[in-house]
Amino acid sequence: MSSRTKPSGLTVAVLGADGYIGWPMAMHLSRQGHRVVAVDNLARRRWDREGGTYSLVPIATMARRVARWRQLTGREIIWRRADMRDFRAVDALMAEFRPQAVIHFAEQRSAPFSMIDRAHAVLTQENNVVGTLNLLFAIRDQVPDCHLIKLGTMGEYGTPNIDIEEGYLEIEHNGRRDRLPFPKVAGSFYHLSKVHDSNNIYFATRAWGVRATDLNQGVVYGVDTEDTVLHPELSTRFDFDSIWGTALNRFCAQAAVGEPLTVYGKGGQTRGFLDLRDTMACITLALHNPAERGECRVFNQFTEQFSVRELAALVAKVRESHGLKTEISHLPNPRVELEEHYYNAKHQHLLDLGLEPHYLADTLLESVIARVESLRDRVDRVLLEAPSVSWKRGGNEIWERYSGQGVSSDPVKGALAG
Ligand code: NAD
Ligand code: USQ
C-alpha cells in the first residue's frame, strides 16, 4: 500500500454525482481543493418517475446544485451529463479531463429493482457491468495511471458461516496454499452485478496494471453532511419506498408517520452499516492513499453491524423516549435470504488508514426521524407499505399502480434516453 497522504488539487471524476452519495462526495472533494468533474446520466431520476417513487428530501437539479455551490463557496464543480454505457462518452471524458482518480458510484443500486422481472435484471447487470467495463478500457487507453475507486457492496459476500475477510482469503487445499478472492454468494441480481464488476476490475489490475480500490460498502445512513446543510438546494436524497429505501430509512419514515415498522421475516438478517459522513471520509482516505499500479485493494467499508430486528428496536426506543409507541410488525419475507445467521466481517483496512467512525447513536437516529417528521406531508404511505417485489415471483405492485403501464417494455433503451 502506498504511503502517500493528503495531496490536494487532484482532478477527480465523480461518476454518479447526482445520487445520494455522489452529490455530497462531489462537494466534499471540491471543499478540499480538488478539481471535481461531476458526471451522471440522471437515470435515477428517470427510474423514480417511471416507478412513482421520489426523494423525501426535495432535491435540486444538478445545474442548480453546482450554481448554488459556486455562489456559496466560490468553488467550481464541473457538471457533465453522460451515460457510462456509452463508451465514446466515457473515453472522451477521460481524454478531456485526464483525472488522477475516478470515484465510480454510477450504477443501478437497488436489489428489489433488479428482482422485478427479467427486464430489470438485464437493465441492472447491463448498466452496471458494461459501465464499469467501459471505464476500465477508458482508463487503460487514456489515463493508465488513474486510480479507480469503485463502490462495491458488502452484499457481494452474502452471509457465509465463516468470518468475512477483506476481499481475499488465505486457503490451504490438499496441502497447497494460495491467496484467492473471498468466495461470493450474493443475494440478488443487483448484488451479483457488483460481484461481476469486482472480477472484471481484478482482472484489469492483473492484465493492464490498473490501480484499483474496490470498496465493499455496507448500508449507508444519514442525510446531512457539513455541505448539504449549507442550503436546501445542496441537499441529498432520502429514499423511503420499498424499492429504493433501505430498511433503516424506511423504519425512520414509518416511525415518523406512526406506521408499523416492516421487519421482513424473523429480522435476524445482519448487515454492516456506516454514516454518510464516514463514507466521505473512507473514500477520501482511499483517494489520498492510492493503490499501486496493478494492485486491486479491497476494503470492507462499514463501521458497525446490526440485525434488522436490532435496527427496528433502536428506532422504537428513540420514539419511546418521546413517549410515542411504535409497533414492529414481522411480515412474510419477500426475499430469499437467511433470517438467522452468523455474521462477522472484518473492516480493519480503513481504520488502519485513519478512519474515525461516527456511530449510529440515538442522537443520529433522532435527528433523521426529526428530519423525516418535518417532511411528513410529503410521505406517501403507499410507498411505506409492505414489500412489493418478491424474489420468487418478481412483480412490483407500486410500479404498476403508479405508472399504470406496468414495467416498460424496454427500460434499458428508455434509461439511455434518460
Ligand atoms: P443513487 O441511486 O442515489 O446514485 C447512483 C447515481 O448513478 C444516480 O444518480 C444515477 O443516475 C447514476 N447512474 C446510474 N447508472 C448510470 C449510468 N449508466 N451512467 C451515468 N450515471 C448513472 O445510489 P447511491 O445510494 O448514491 O449509491 C452509490 C453507489 O454506492 C452505488 O454504486 C451503490 O451500489 C453503492 N452502494 C450504496 C449503498 C447505500 O447504502 N446507498 C451501500 C453500498 C454500496
Ligand atoms: N428489510 C426489512 N424491511 C424493509 C426493507 C428491508 O426487513 O422494509 C431487510 C431485507 O430483507 C434485508 C435487509 O433489510 O435483509 C437489508 O435490506 P436493505 O433494503 O436495507 O438493503 P439492501 O437491499 O442490502 O441494499 C442496500 C442498498 C444497496 C447496498 C446494500 C449494502 O440499497 O445499494 O449495496 O444496502 S449491503 O446490504 O451491505 O449489501
Side-chain angles (χ1 to χ4, degrees), residues 15-22 39-45 47 82-85 104-109 127-128 151-154 190 194 217-220 237 239 244 246:
L15 312 176
D18 188 42
Y20 165 57
I21 305 172
V39 179
D40 204 292
N41 68 347
L42 307 182
R44 181 56 211 283
R45 293 187 191 235
W47 295 328
D83 192 315
M84 295 299 296
R85 287 170 305 161
H104 180 20
F105 299 105
E107 299 205 328
Q108 190 300 96
R109 71 121 184 100
N127 186 68
N128 296 0
L151 273 292
T153 174
M154 284 301 293
Y190 154 70
K194 299 284 192 180
Q217 181 169 245
V219 185
V220 183
R237 55 182 308 132
D239 295 300
W244 303 99
T246 59

Side-chain angles (χ1 to χ4, degrees), residues 109 153-155 190-191 247 250 262 264 271 308 335 337:
R109 71 121 184 100
T153 174
M154 284 301 293
Y190 154 70
H191 289 99
R250 285 168 57 67
T262 54
Y264 296 167
R271 303 286 184 267
V308 172
R335 304 191 185 195
E337 60 185 0

Side-chain angles (χ1 to χ4, degrees), residues 187-236:
S188 74
F189 287 121
Y190 154 70
H191 289 99
L192 279 160
S193 74
K194 299 284 192 180
V195 176
H196 306 328
D197 282 343
S198 291
N199 283 328
N200 289 340
I201 292 167
Y202 185 34
F203 177 72
T205 60
R206 301 192 318 273
W208 304 332
V210 168
R211 40 171 110 226
T213 302
D214 196 355
L215 297 171
N216 286 336
Q217 181 169 245
V219 185
V220 183
Y221 59 81
V223 72
D224 290 331
T225 68
E226 61 175 331
D227 300 315
T228 62
V229 296
L230 291 177
H231 191 277
E233 284 183 351
L234 300 182
S235 295
T236 196

Side-chain angles (χ1 to χ4, degrees), residues 8 23 45 53 78 97 140 154 162 181 199 201 211 217 243 274-275 278 280 293-294 315 326 345 351 357 388 409 412:
S8 63
W23 172 239
R45 293 187 191 235
T53 51
I78 303 163
F97 294 105
R140 183 196 71 171
M154 284 301 293
I162 57 172
N199 283 328
I201 292 167
R211 40 171 110 226
Q217 181 169 245
I243 300 287
L274 77 163
D275 188 303
D278 289 344
M280 309 289 102
R293 285 296 295 264
V315 171
T326 301
L351 295 170
S388 56
S409 57
V412 174

Side-chain angles (χ1 to χ4, degrees), residues 391-412:
W391 259 224
K392 290 200 169 136
R393 292 183 310 280
N396 174 16
E397 290 160 24
I398 289 174
W399 191 282
E400 285 158 17
R401 204 176 318 176
Y402 275 76
S403 66
Q405 57 194 10
V407 170
S408 84
S409 57
D410 193 344
V412 174

Side-chain angles (χ1 to χ4, degrees), residues 13-55:
V14 177
L15 312 176
D18 188 42
Y20 165 57
I21 305 172
W23 172 239
M25 192 76 233
M27 290 189 286
H28 186 74
L29 296 176
S30 173
R31 172 188 288 281
Q32 291 180 350
H34 298 303
R35 176 180 179 239
V36 176
V37 184
V39 179
D40 204 292
N41 68 347
L42 307 182
R44 181 56 211 283
R45 293 187 191 235
R46 182 174 184 280
W47 295 328
D48 271 344
R49 284 197 300 279
E50 283 188 355
T53 51
Y54 57 92
S55 167

